[in-house]
Amino acid sequence: MNSVIKIGGLDCANCARELEEELNKLDGVNSATVDFMSQKVVVDCAEDALERVKNACNNFEEVKVVEEASAPSVYGEKIKIANLCCANCGRELEEQLNKIDGVEAVVDYMNMRVILNAQTPEARQKAIYAITHFEDVKIVDGNPKKSLFKEHKKDIICLICAVILFVPALVLDLTGIAWGSLAWRICTYCLYAFAYITVGHPVLINTVKNLAKGRIFDENFLMTIASIGAVILGIFTGEGFFEGVAVMLLYQLGELLQGIAVGASRSSIADLMDLKSNTATIIADGEYRTVSPEDLRTGDRILIKAGEKVPVDCKIVKGESALDLKSLNGEPLPVNVGVGDEILSGSINLSGVIEAEVIREYKNSAVAKILELVENSTAKKSKPEKFISKFARYYTPAVCIAAVLVAFAVPTLIFLINPARPWVEVFGEWVYNALTFLVISCPCALVISVPLSYFSGIGRCARSGILVKGSTCLDELALATVAAFDKTGTITEGSFKVVSYTSARALQLAAAAEKYSSHPIAAAFKNIPAEIAVQNAQEIAGRGVKCEAEGKTLLCGNAKLLSENGVTFTPGNSVSTLVYVALDGEYVGLIQIDDSIKEGVKEAVAALKNSGVTYTQMLTGDSAARARAVAEEAGLDGCSAELLPAQKLEEAEKLKERGKLIYVGDGINDAPVMTAADCAVSMGKVGSDAAIEASDIVLVSDNISLIPKGRKIAKGTRRIVVQNIVGSLFVKFGLMLCDIILASLIACGVAVSPFPLIVSVVADVGVMLLAVLNAMRASLIK
């Protein structure tokens, strides 16, 4: 079974990798993915293994499983709160609220709100008191954001206190005053020690906990050994505590800055997800009532005032207005809508008051689908992410082993060759070099920057109305060299109209038969009165409709349908779609149907070619003449026409021989092809489960120009990922090489200084911060 477990307290991406490895070793677990960015575990496991997974999470460092309580069965009041510092605090607040008589509550930590269901005013008052008197929590209006200080309050205070202790100790140390008397020396040592414990106690505690659990090769262990080793060396050599304390201080500063950067990226996604309306105004029996969007049902009539968000997907039944769709599709220009137009949840009513009928409940609406897609987008790991996870698994232990050899094997060999040198001096030099190795080996820059790059890229796509289901999908979009398109609803508008017909009788029969069809062509007949009754309608894929009318067999479809049923007729010659009609084996006539090519398709196809797509083709069940005309107008390289769904799949497999394939379709009729494609893009079907299930990328609107834009973001994101991987490894291996060269020169008697440990720390922290900042550039790609 598949489960999603919310967690809290996971403070670094490398720890997420280690937890993921640990979970995948458990009995009964088929696969487990730890999503550091959204703080959750996606696990496929046997039912009896789920509890073991939760226990493993709870026993990993400071990680805690956040129990997800279901919302109250009766709609409750939603109260926005601020300053709830962690998910565990949210759980404690929820427990306190539910102990109050007459109160049922759920604390939603992610959205910073309390869903409160109080049976009496007195119970509500007690609940409000409990909320406002829980730590620093307060009730606010709107969507509160934590300040930088509140978000990292504890870390900032510890760092400030450590700096206040460290600076005077450093001044005393560097000026030599401390060594003038024993009292000053003790004072300096004490200042260094208090600074070290103040800033480093979380690392030391985690190291002890991890060692007790058998986990060694993480950054807590590396930094503990490096800093304590530097302190011990300082005591033996008489150089003081400076480097040991500085190592821990700079490391924790880097961790804080990394947390701020990651938090900023998460905040940008949170801003993007602020699409949902908290309330809706329902019209019932002439009265207006405020309810939750979740309480609306299909067919309900709602009122949407100027400035309000559309709560659910609906159709306008009264009034007209302009809608701001920027949050959905990234387009800044408002869209004018009126009676009969469908509008998506999350858009903002800019001007007039409108009444609308709910066409999809909230759980199936655009907003719900968008939130679900973006929330789960980081669960699918790309090849670079998997590579880094595997690389870090072997890289860190390998460097640690190398450090042990450097610390003990090399000085032993040197001492055996030249026993005249003092053994304390020889071992001190090489232990120092080994500590440099340990600092350099921290994989944080790699492990955090790669998923953060994809996270930022996916967020950038979402702000443009391009919903990507994971970093794997983003990579496939970037690497594809072949693109294939469905015709109807993708290249063309899909709004078919009857342009001519040979007889009124043929038109009447076609209108009667096509009302039982789900094919887009049937929409051309929806405004034509069907005065003839039909029975036993059967839709034949790739052919048309077969039914009974006036006690006779009625055929309505393409030329193949009539030919396969033995009807004699003369095929028409037109680039338009032709619908043939036959009754009781006799040809009645034909209807010409046409739709126009979408605006911007030609430019989008050209942009795809400029981005590296070498071949484009259209796959359609339409006639060859019409397909060629549309393909030429759109600027496509080729087309395959008159295809059944199975034949479309065969053509897609042939196209994949040319390179990675992007397929763009509606996500319903083309599900087999979309499943086979390397990157499947669904056009404007956010409300359809079938579209989301079949596709890798969902476009909120029918704007095909979003595809080259998404590809540009995907290629830019992948470029940033490669930059971070290559740059981080180059710097790390470069530092190691410098360390080895300098150490070798010293061993050969050359008068050079060893590679400073403090420089290694600065370089490691600097690389990590540069990688994180570079990763965040993905959110700025245009």
Side-chain angles (χ1 to χ4, degrees):
M1 67 178 215
N2 291 307
S3 299
V4 178
I5 303 170
K6 284 286 184 182
I7 57 176
L10 188 61
D11 57 3
C12 84
N14 194 45
C15 297
R17 177 189 63 80
E18 293 174 359
L19 175 59
E20 184 175 297
E21 289 180 4
E22 191 169 303
L23 294 179
N24 279 299
K25 293 176 183 177
L26 296 177
D27 292 337
V29 174
N30 299 322
S31 67
T33 300
V34 178
D35 186 348
F36 168 64
M37 299 307 300
S38 56
Q39 298 281 293
K40 65 185 176 184
V41 176
V42 181
V43 61
D44 178 15
C45 65
E47 190 172 350
D48 59 348
L50 186 59
E51 198 59 36
R52 289 198 294 274
V53 171
K54 290 183 179 180
N55 289 336
C57 291
N58 282 323
N59 291 324
F60 187 87
E61 295 188 359
E62 301 298 326
V63 175
K64 293 296 178 187
V65 172
V66 181
E67 296 295 338
E68 295 186 9
S70 58
S73 55
V74 181
Y75 167 66
E77 177 185 6
K78 291 182 175 63
I79 302 172
K80 280 286 181 182
I81 58 175
N83 302 336
L84 187 62
C85 61
C86 70
N88 191 52
C89 295
R91 178 189 58 79
E92 293 174 1
L93 174 58
E94 185 175 295
E95 288 179 358
Q96 285 191 20
L97 291 172
N98 283 304
K99 290 177 181 177
I100 301 172
D101 290 337
V103 170
E104 185 180 9
V106 172
V107 177
D108 183 354
Y109 173 68
M110 295 303 294
N111 292 311
M112 281 293 168
R113 64 180 182 176
V114 176
I115 303 173
L116 181 65
N117 207 343
Q119 296 179 2
T120 64
E122 291 77 13
R124 182 184 183 279
Q125 188 174 357
K126 290 179 181 178
I128 296 296
Y129 181 87
I131 294 170
T132 54
H133 287 76
F134 183 85
E135 296 185 355
D136 295 325
V137 173
K138 62 180 181 179
I139 296 174
V140 296
D141 294 325
N143 295 312
K145 293 183 180 179
K146 283 186 179 180
S147 65
L148 173 64
F149 182 75
K150 289 290 185 182
E151 187 75 27
H152 301 280
K153 179 179 177 181
K154 182 179 178 181
D155 296 332
I156 292 173
I157 291 174
C158 286
L159 271 171
I160 292 173
C161 292
V163 169
I164 291 172
L165 293 167
F166 177 76
V167 170
L170 179 61
V171 171
L172 291 172
D173 202 351
L174 294 178
T175 57
I177 295 175
W179 310 116
S181 67
L182 180 61
W184 280 112
R185 184 178 301 180
I186 293 173
C187 179
T188 305
Y189 276 157
C190 288
L191 286 172
Y192 273 143
F194 285 130
Y196 180 84
I197 293 171
T198 300
V199 74
H201 71 275
V203 176
L204 300 175
I205 292 170
N206 284 333
T207 299
V208 172
K209 288 181 178 179
N210 291 341
L211 288 174
K213 297 172 184 175
R215 290 196 299 272
I216 300 176
F217 299 115
D218 68 345
E219 75 275 8
N220 292 306
F221 174 78
L222 297 178
M223 281 303 157
T224 298
I225 296 299
S227 59
I228 291 178
V231 168
I232 294 172
L233 279 179
I235 293 173
F236 272 103
T237 59
E239 295 180 1
F241 285 10
F242 164 69
E243 281 199 312
V245 181
V247 164
M248 187 62 76
L249 191 63
L250 287 172
Y251 170 71
Q252 289 292 67
L253 176 62
E255 290 292 297
L256 173 63
L257 295 176
Q258 172 190 294
I260 292 170
V262 173
S265 184
R266 281 184 179 149
S267 178
S268 68
I269 298 296
D271 291 341
L272 166 71
M273 291 298 94
D274 187 25
L275 296 173
K276 183 184 173 184
S277 173
N278 292 322
T279 60
T281 303
I282 188 172
I283 305 172
D285 300 324
E287 296 182 355
Y288 299 93
R289 194 158 46 89
T290 301
V291 298
S292 166
E294 289 90 342
D295 291 338
L296 294 174
R297 297 292 175 262
T298 303
D300 285 348
R301 193 158 176 155
I302 59 175
L303 180 74
I304 307 170
K305 300 175 184 178
E308 292 183 344
K309 292 175 187 173
V310 178
V312 293
D313 298 352
C314 50
K315 180 186 289 186
I316 297 176
V317 295
K318 184 179 178 181
E320 56 184 31
S321 183
L323 294 183
D324 179 359
L325 301 176
K326 186 166 57 178
S327 296
L328 293 176
N329 60 18
E331 296 297 328
L333 295 177
V335 176
N336 295 321
V337 292
V339 175
D341 290 332
E342 290 188 10
I343 55 178
L344 295 178
S345 51
S347 52
I348 300 173
N349 183 14
L350 294 177
S351 51
V353 176
I354 54 178
E355 293 183 14
E357 181 181 312
V358 177
I359 58 175
R360 280 186 287 270
E361 294 182 8
Y362 174 77
K363 63 182 179 181
N364 296 318
S365 67
V367 159
K369 298 299 180 185
I370 291 171
L371 293 174
E372 180 183 357
L373 279 173
V374 176
E375 182 182 349
N376 296 327
S377 63
T378 51
K380 290 185 178 180
K381 291 191 174 181
S382 63
K383 287 183 179 179
E385 285 181 282
K386 292 176 181 176
F387 163 74
I388 288 301
S389 295
K390 190 173 183 179
F391 177 82
R393 188 184 310 160
Y394 300 106
Y395 160 76
T396 307
V399 175
C400 288
I401 292 170
V404 172
L405 293 175
V406 168
F408 298 104
V410 175
T412 300
L413 181 62
I414 293 174
F415 189 70
L416 291 175
I417 295 172
N418 185 12
R421 288 192 65 189
W423 70 270
V424 174
E425 179 184 322
V426 174
F427 273 90
E429 290 173 356
W430 288 95
V431 168
Y432 189 87
N433 291 327
L435 295 179
T436 303
F437 259 69
L438 290 179
V439 172
I440 296 170
S441 70
C442 282
C444 289
L446 289 168
V447 178
I448 182 60
S449 66
V450 174
L452 182 57
S453 299
Y454 284 113
F455 187 75
S456 299
I458 289 170
R460 180 69 188 93
C461 284
R463 287 196 297 276
S464 300
I466 307 162
L467 306 181
V468 183
K469 294 176 76 171
S471 54
T472 301
C473 308
L474 203 65
D475 258 4
E476 296 292 355
L477 179 62
L479 297 172
T481 56
V482 181
F485 302 83
D486 180 35
K487 180 179 79 69
T488 306
T490 303
I491 298 295
T492 62
E493 291 287 355
S495 302
F496 288 97
K497 295 179 181 179
V498 174
V499 294
S500 67
Y501 49 91
T502 57
S503 69
R505 174 71 168 165
L507 183 63
Q508 284 293 317
L509 289 170
E514 291 289 351
K515 72 177 182 179
Y516 293 99
S517 173
S518 60
H519 196 279
I521 286 177
F525 299 92
K526 66 180 180 180
N527 295 324
I528 300 172
E531 299 175 356
I532 302 171
V534 299
Q535 299 86 32
N536 302 324
Q538 176 188 2
E539 186 163 13
I540 303 171
R543 297 292 187 267
V545 178
K546 182 177 183 181
C547 57
E548 293 179 7
E550 300 173 350
K552 303 172 183 178
T553 299
L554 172 62
L555 302 174
C556 180
N558 58 22
K560 290 181 180 180
L561 178 65
L562 270 64
S563 298
E564 291 171 359
N565 285 274
V567 178
T568 302
F569 68 102
T570 302
N573 184 18
S574 173
V575 295
S576 298
T577 300
L578 300 179
V579 177
Y580 296 86
V581 181
L583 185 65
D584 200 25
E586 296 292 329
Y587 176 66
V588 178
L590 64 84
I591 299 104
Q592 288 193 50
I593 295 173
D594 215 340
D595 67 338
S596 58
I597 192 170
K598 286 184 177 180
E599 184 180 352
V601 166
K602 189 171 183 178
E603 292 78 5
V605 172
L608 276 175
K609 290 181 178 180
N610 290 334
S611 72
V613 173
T614 58
Y615 185 76
T616 57
Q617 183 166 329
M618 185 170 67
L619 307 180
T620 179
D622 206 348
S623 67
R626 175 60 179 159
R628 280 194 298 271
V630 171
E632 288 176 7
E633 188 177 355
L636 299 173
D637 297 318
C639 69
S640 297
E642 301 178 2
L643 300 176
L644 296 173
Q647 292 171 320
K648 272 192 177 184
L649 182 58
E650 291 174 6
E651 288 294 323
E653 294 293 347
K654 292 177 183 177
L655 288 173
K656 288 178 70 176
E657 295 174 4
R658 291 173 173 260
K660 287 186 176 292
L661 173 66
I662 303 170
Y663 183 79
V664 188
D666 62 13
I668 302 174
N669 299 327
D670 298 318
V673 188
M674 299 188 90
T675 303
D678 296 290
C679 180
V681 181
S682 177
M683 293 285 293
K685 299 287 184 182
V686 176
S688 167
D689 287 328
I692 292 175
E693 187 66 30
S695 59
D696 301 303
I697 296 173
V698 180
L699 305 184
V700 176
S701 68
D702 285 330
N703 187 358
I704 200 171
S705 65
L706 291 176
I707 300 172
K709 184 173 185 178
R711 181 170 163 83
K712 182 180 179 181
I713 296 171
K715 293 184 76 171
T717 301
R718 185 173 174 82
R719 185 164 55 249
I720 288 170
V721 167
V722 173
Q723 288 171 356
N724 281 338
I725 292 174
V726 174
S728 298
L729 291 178
F730 178 80
V731 172
K732 285 182 178 294
F733 286 127
L735 289 173
M736 290 181 189
L737 184 60
C738 288
D739 187 35
I740 292 172
I741 291 173
L742 289 174
S744 300
L745 291 173
I746 293 171
C748 294
V750 180
V752 294
S753 299
F755 196 87
L757 180 61
I758 194 68
V759 172
S760 298
V761 179
V762 172
D764 181 66
V765 171
V767 169
M768 178 183 68
L769 292 177
L770 285 175
V772 168
L773 293 174
N774 191 41
M776 292 177 68
R777 283 198 309 116
S779 64
L780 304 175
I781 299 172
K782 295 182 179 179

